């Protein structure tokens, strides 16, 4: 079932202009601007910029693709079939979110790698296995967040506005747009609840040679928490819709 859901999601995103812009165009432009606008930056700064751009692109793609899965199911009239079939609705959503996240992450990684090679930006890789673990963490976190966002967006008719607000809010809280140390103390603690922050730290640490097991644990721990919350929220939505007879309307 998961494999079928992954294939369906990949097929539905084939040729999507949004996926092309977010996964290919934006990373190339951002890396070109941030790494070439000023010469003389050291490798550590360039590494942080490249990783930050990659995570920005992955998170943006997650919001606009995986986050919209259930909303598009409702619009297309297939939501009821997906949540009343023999398979668990959470399993179907997991497969579709996995498909969207795999595509998004792979596209961004290739775009970033090609940009770095063409622009000859030196990004050290002192602990490649830790870096791979960080990329896997980004993938797992993206799947869980995509599921959670998809449930949240189904609850409101203003999904696009919510998506925009969440996207830029987590850019800031995740320490990708600005360092976490620059945040006001009143909201700085919120960054600890954002997996994007730990993904950024782990990938930079792996590159610089100072990986931290706590950072890896925080990344996967938050991903697990997002996944549990997504399953619980989806169950709540489905049960409520069944009681009211509004599955087609969510």
């Amino acid at each position: 079932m998961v494999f079928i859901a992954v294939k369906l999601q990949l097929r539905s995103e084939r040729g999507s202009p949004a996926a092309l812009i977010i996964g290919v165009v934006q990373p190339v432009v951002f890396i070109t601007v941030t790494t070439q606008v000023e010469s003389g930056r050291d490798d550590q700064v360039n590494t942080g910029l490249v990783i930050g751009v990659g995570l920005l692109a992955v998170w943006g793609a997650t919001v606009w693709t995986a986050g919209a899965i259930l909303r598009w199911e409702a619009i297309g009239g297939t939501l009821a079939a997906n949540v009343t079939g023999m398979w668990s609705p959470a399993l179907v959503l997991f497969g579709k979110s996995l498909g969207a996240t795999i595509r998004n992450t792979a596209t961004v990684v290739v775009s970033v790698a090609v940009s770095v090679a063409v622009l000859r930006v030196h990004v050290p890789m002192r602990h490649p296995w830790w870096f791979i673990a960080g990329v896997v963490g980004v993938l797992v976190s993206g799947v869980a967040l995509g599921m959670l966002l998809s449930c949240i967006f189904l609850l409101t008719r203003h999904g696009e506005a919510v998506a925009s607000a969440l996207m830029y809010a987590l850019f800031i809280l995740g320490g990708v747009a600005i360092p976490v140390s620059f945040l006001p103390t009143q909201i700085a603690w919120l960054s600890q609840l954002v997996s994007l922050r730990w993904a950024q730290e782990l990938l930079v640490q792996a590159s610089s040679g100072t990986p931290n097991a706590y950072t890896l644990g925080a990344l996967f721990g938050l991903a697990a928490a997002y996944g549990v919350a997504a399953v619980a929220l989806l169950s709540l939505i489905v049960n409520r819709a069944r009681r009211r007879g509004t599955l087609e309307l969510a």
Side-chain angles (χ1 to χ4, degrees):
M1 182 61 240
V2 172
F3 179 69
I4 293 173
V6 169
K7 282 181 33 177
L8 288 173
Q9 185 62 29
L10 291 175
R11 188 180 303 166
S12 69
E13 292 184 21
R14 188 180 300 166
S16 169
L20 178 65
I21 293 172
I22 296 174
V24 179
V25 177
Q26 283 188 356
V28 171
V29 172
F30 287 165
I31 288 177
T32 302
V33 171
T34 55
T35 60
Q36 302 299 308
V37 70
E38 181 182 338
S39 60
R41 287 194 177 108
D42 59 29
D43 290 344
Q44 186 174 358
V45 174
N46 280 332
T47 298
L49 289 172
V50 169
I51 290 173
V53 167
L55 289 176
L56 285 174
V58 170
W59 171 238
T62 298
V63 169
W64 294 111
T65 56
I69 288 172
L70 291 182
R71 174 55 61 188
W72 282 113
E73 294 284 355
I75 293 174
T78 57
L79 179 62
N82 283 337
V83 301
T84 57
M86 62 179 293
W87 298 100
S88 165
L91 194 62
V92 176
L93 178 59
F94 170 76
K96 293 199 169 189
S97 183
L98 178 61
T101 306
I102 288 175
R103 182 187 182 92
N104 296 335
T105 304
T107 302
V108 171
V109 168
V110 171
S111 300
V112 170
V114 171
S115 300
V116 167
V118 171
L119 296 172
R120 296 182 180 180
V121 179
H122 183 234
V123 177
M125 197 60 59
R126 294 183 173 87
H127 287 278
W129 290 112
W130 279 90
F131 195 89
I132 292 173
V135 173
V136 172
V138 171
L139 182 64
V140 173
S141 178
V143 173
L145 268 173
M147 293 175 64
L148 182 57
L149 290 174
S150 194
C151 295
I152 293 173
F153 296 165
L154 187 64
L155 290 173
T156 175
R157 296 181 181 275
H158 308 288
E160 292 186 1
V162 175
S164 297
L166 283 175
M167 186 167 67
Y168 292 104
L170 292 196
F171 281 173
I172 297 173
L173 291 176
V176 179
I178 60 175
V180 173
S181 58
F182 287 8
L183 296 176
T185 55
Q186 293 85 350
I187 63 171
W189 64 273
L190 291 172
S191 68
Q192 298 184 41
L193 305 177
V194 179
S195 61
L196 203 63
R197 175 254 177 99
W198 300 107
Q200 165 90 349
E201 289 191 9
L202 180 61
L203 293 174
V204 171
Q205 289 170 0
S207 176
S208 63
T210 58
N212 189 317
Y214 176 80
T215 308
L216 180 64
L219 174 58
F220 279 93
L222 282 172
Y226 297 156
V228 170
V231 172
L233 184 56
L234 179 61
S235 177
L236 179 66
I237 292 171
V238 172
N239 290 335
R240 185 191 67 172
R242 280 173 172 164
R243 288 196 305 269
R244 296 179 179 178
T246 58
L247 274 174
E248 290 293 348
L249 303 174

